[in-house]
Amino acid sequence: MAANRWFFPTNTENLKTILAHGLICGPAGYKKYYSDISCSFFGFIPIFCNGNDGHKKALTKAREEDANLDLCLLEINLNQIQAGKVYLTDSSPVDIEQCHDPSFGTICIPAPLPLSCVKQVIFCDSKTKYTFTDDIKSYGDTPQDALKMVVAKKPEQKLFKEAEQTGMLGDSKETEAEPSFSAQYTCSTHQNYKNIYSFGGSLCTLFYFAKNGATTNSALGDCTKIKKLENYVENDEPITFESLLCCLNNYFYHKTGHTKKNVPQFIILDSVLDSLVEQEKNEHITSIVNFLNSADVFDKEEEKSRAKELSKRLTDFYNNKIDSKASTLFSTSRSRVEKILLLLAYRDDVAGLLETDIAKLEVFDEEDYIIAAILFGARSKYHKIPISLRQYPGIQGYMSYLMAQFAHTTGNTGITFKKPPIPLTIMEMVDPRRREQSKKLGFIYWLSNKYTKLQNCFETIMPNKKFANDNGKSTYDGVVLPEINIKEQEYFKVMSKIKVDDEAYETILKKYKSA
């Protein structure tokens, strides 16, 4: 076995949690986490070179709570970390480029790590691997193909057996006699995981709705740049969609989207996001209503009166005290923000949003969907996004990277990761304006036949050349390629009503790649 292989030992219960959340965090990042070695390095992920004995203590720790827990090793690929400092057990910082030296024995990487850093998951035997894969299939809320999973070969089996032979596994008395890692290590880092998972939830939901049109696709591109946007308006300027998107995106970076500009809609969006990110699901609406009723939030009496009016309308709608049809209520909203607040009271989470044919209400435009995607995604958090979206091919790895890089960017750790392949949105596949699309005309034809209502969303334009009429057919000399245009408004109205789960997306993607 190569001398420079690095491992993070844990148990399969924690592995389920890691896969469901899309990040390797240690105990700080999850509500339920069984004790393992990361508990002694709070805020860091300790990894061990196979050439030292650190893995023995770590395997012991992974069974500290229950001797019946199954063990596994996550083999870490340090090449996926582009830059930054990690730490030795004496708290000494070391550049990641120097950490391929196995003489360090143990290194500690600031959490979280994306799943792309895991080369493979190693199980001690085939029974353990089968039990684990069978379990995650039965749970139905965990992406199944996010990581490569293998059974230990002879060199890896030695890592498990060495610890067994020392009599340490499941032996709490010997474990207590071992030196404390935490006593040797004083560095710590703190991440706001609620904010991180809300960020991931927003992007994952936005990726799904990017099927709806070029505007959503562009918004997704802006929000995945992992930086603040600059597109604000002054108090006396009209509120634009771009400024609302800027406010929502920037909230995640400094927990404020409106900076110093006292724009009521920006203030409301900041407070709404505070509630969605920090509060439990059943407390969201109450928190938003309490904010709207606060007397000292808005400067002008007109703004205070309008906020209280909105508060009452929101409360009555949430408590089913309004007789009007939902479409009537939404269509009479005075602003885009008010419309989305009512939508938050109308449905609980992303799953509810997808199950409801809000497109049939025909009062929401593409920009409304974008704002709704960000807010509902923030409310659900990434690990509560429907599995049918998180199992899109490539999406788990990409979202894991975005959440991890976002965490380290906002945490100023200096850690950067290699970007994984970026999955294509349906809009990127179907948009005729993409240069390579001239080779994909057959794909557009296929898709518009699969979803027949899409046929009227495109138009075919022939070059302005001389042609002849042959029995009702236009004929051209030579080889002439048609130009396909997308009719964006018609396309949005149709595609917003089409539901695309992971199986449908995979079918579309395969057809696109083979075209």
Side-chain angles (χ1 to χ4, degrees):
M1 183 162 50
N4 60 345
R5 294 177 70 186
W6 296 87
F7 300 95
F8 170 56
T10 188
N11 54 66
T12 56
E13 292 302 311
N14 288 345
L15 179 58
K16 292 173 190 174
T17 302
I18 288 168
L19 285 172
H21 288 72
L23 288 176
I24 307 170
C25 308
Y30 319 111
K31 285 186 176 181
K32 174 59 179 175
Y33 192 76
Y34 288 87
S35 179
D36 68 11
I37 197 63
S38 65
C39 298
S40 297
F41 294 80
F42 195 82
F44 292 80
I45 305 301
I47 62 174
F48 304 88
C49 183
N50 61 286
N52 73 84
D53 292 338
H55 73 278
K56 298 177 184 178
K57 302 179 181 69
L59 284 168
T60 303
K61 190 78 173 175
R63 273 186 176 165
E64 187 175 63
E65 288 189 39
D66 186 345
N68 295 315
L69 288 169
D70 290 323
L71 300 176
C72 60
L73 294 168
L74 276 62
E75 184 172 357
I76 303 299
N77 182 2
L78 292 179
N79 291 324
Q80 289 296 320
I81 305 176
Q82 282 187 318
K85 293 187 182 298
V86 297
Y87 297 84
L88 305 182
T89 53
D90 64 358
S91 303
S92 303
V94 179
D95 285 335
I96 188 64
E97 292 85 356
Q98 302 173 8
C99 289
H100 296 274
D101 185 349
S103 65
F104 288 132
T106 304
I107 59 176
C108 304
I109 308 172
L113 295 183
L115 297 181
S116 58
C117 285
V118 180
K119 183 177 181 179
Q120 59 185 1
V121 179
I122 303 172
F123 299 92
C124 60
D125 54 45
S126 57
K127 180 182 178 182
T128 303
K129 178 177 179 289
Y130 174 81
T131 300
F132 176 79
T133 54
D134 193 53
D135 281 351
I136 61 174
K137 286 179 183 178
S138 64
Y139 287 149
D141 64 348
T142 303
Q144 298 173 23
D145 301 321
L147 295 177
K148 179 182 178 182
M149 299 183 187
V150 300
V151 176
K153 297 179 180 179
K154 285 186 178 180
E156 293 97 0
Q157 287 174 354
K158 185 179 179 182
L159 298 177
F160 291 103
K161 289 179 179 179
E162 282 178 349
E164 293 277 7
Q165 290 167 357
T166 63
M168 294 173 67
L169 286 182
D171 190 338
S172 60
K173 292 183 179 179
E174 273 202 60
T175 302
E176 292 170 3
E178 291 299 308
S180 169
F181 279 99
S182 58
Q184 303 170 17
Y185 190 73
T186 57
C187 292
S188 64
T189 185
H190 300 282
Q191 296 282 5
N192 183 343
Y193 282 103
K194 284 185 177 181
N195 196 46
I196 293 166
Y197 292 133
S198 287
F199 176 78
S202 292
L203 292 186
C204 189
T205 311
L206 197 55
F207 183 94
Y208 172 78
F209 283 118
K211 68 183 177 63
N212 288 350
T215 301
T216 315
N217 210 66
S218 176
L220 176 66
D222 287 339
C223 293
T224 54
K225 292 176 181 177
I226 313 183
K227 67 176 184 179
K228 294 183 71 176
L229 304 177
E230 295 184 7
N231 197 325
Y232 286 110
V233 298
E234 300 292 345
N235 286 336
D236 56 348
E237 294 178 341
I239 303 296
T240 64
F241 163 73
E242 289 75 16
S243 64
L244 292 175
L245 178 65
C246 178
C247 174
L248 292 169
N249 175 81
N250 292 359
Y251 167 87
F252 293 107
Y253 293 87
H254 295 291
K255 304 302 287 291
T256 176
H258 57 76
T259 62
K260 297 180 180 179
K261 294 180 173 61
N262 189 21
V263 179
Q265 290 194 50
F266 292 170
I267 298 172
I268 291 173
L269 283 178
D270 275 354
S271 176
V272 168
L273 274 167
D274 270 338
S275 299
L276 299 179
V277 171
E278 300 295 340
Q279 302 293 327
E280 296 300 323
K281 187 165 71 170
N282 59 350
E283 299 174 345
H284 293 153
I285 297 301
T286 300
S287 179
I288 293 170
V289 166
N290 289 340
F291 168 79
L292 292 172
N293 286 327
S294 300
D296 58 346
V297 174
F298 303 101
D299 293 335
K300 301 177 181 178
E301 288 301 321
E302 180 183 354
E303 294 170 355
K304 294 178 182 179
S305 175
R306 181 73 191 103
K308 289 185 177 181
E309 180 186 336
L310 176 57
S311 168
K312 184 178 186 310
R313 198 178 192 202
L314 191 62
T315 303
D316 290 345
F317 185 50
Y318 185 68
N319 294 327
N320 295 316
K321 293 181 179 180
I322 295 181
D323 294 330
S324 302
K325 292 182 179 179
S327 58
T328 302
L329 194 65
F330 288 127
S331 62
T332 56
S333 299
R334 298 188 189 180
S335 70
R336 193 185 297 277
V337 170
E338 180 177 334
K339 189 192 301 182
I340 302 303
L341 286 182
L342 291 170
L343 187 59
L344 285 169
Y346 187 55
R347 288 295 176 259
D348 288 334
D349 50 25
V350 172
L353 184 65
L354 297 182
E355 290 169 3
T356 306
D357 290 327
I358 62 171
K360 292 182 179 179
L361 299 176
E362 297 187 347
V363 294
F364 295 93
D365 60 22
E366 187 179 353
E367 294 172 351
D368 291 329
Y369 272 79
I370 294 169
I371 296 173
I374 294 172
L375 293 180
F376 274 85
R379 184 200 300 216
S380 290
K381 312 290 190 295
Y382 176 73
H383 48 288
K384 295 296 183 181
I385 298 296
I387 189 67
S388 61
L389 305 193
R390 288 184 289 133
Q391 281 195 160
Y392 273 27
I395 199 69
Q396 174 88 330
Y398 183 47
M399 291 297 151
S400 176
Y401 158 78
L402 289 172
M403 288 190 290
Q405 194 58 71
F406 167 77
H408 287 280
T409 298
T410 55
N412 297 313
T413 67
I415 295 282
T416 59
F417 302 100
K418 288 185 178 179
K419 184 180 291 188
I422 302 175
L424 289 171
T425 66
I426 289 178
M427 187 61 197
E428 287 173 325
M429 293 184 236
V430 80
D431 191 346
R433 291 165 295 193
R434 288 169 61 89
R435 284 181 294 178
E436 67 272 25
Q437 200 63 56
S438 61
K439 300 178 181 179
K440 305 289 184 180
L441 296 179
F443 166 76
I444 295 177
Y445 179 78
W446 170 84
L447 188 68
S448 63
N449 278 283
K450 178 177 176 62
Y451 302 105
T452 56
K453 290 185 178 180
L454 284 175
Q455 291 180 356
N456 294 327
C457 300
F458 299 93
E459 59 183 6
T460 303
I461 302 173
M462 298 303 294
N464 185 20
K465 293 185 176 181
K466 292 182 179 180
F467 65 94
N469 189 304
D470 183 7
N471 294 324
K473 297 180 180 179
S474 299
T475 60
Y476 294 77
D477 290 333
V479 178
V480 179
L481 290 177
E483 178 183 338
I484 305 295
N485 283 345
I486 188 168
K487 296 187 283 187
E488 295 189 10
Q489 288 299 319
E490 288 83 351
Y491 177 85
F492 165 74
K493 289 178 181 179
V494 172
M495 184 54 86
S496 61
K497 297 176 183 177
I498 296 175
K499 297 176 182 178
V500 182
D501 62 13
D502 53 313
E503 292 183 2
Y505 174 86
E506 187 169 7
T507 299
I508 293 170
L509 181 63
K510 286 181 179 178
K511 187 66 179 181
Y512 174 81
K513 288 182 175 180
S514 65

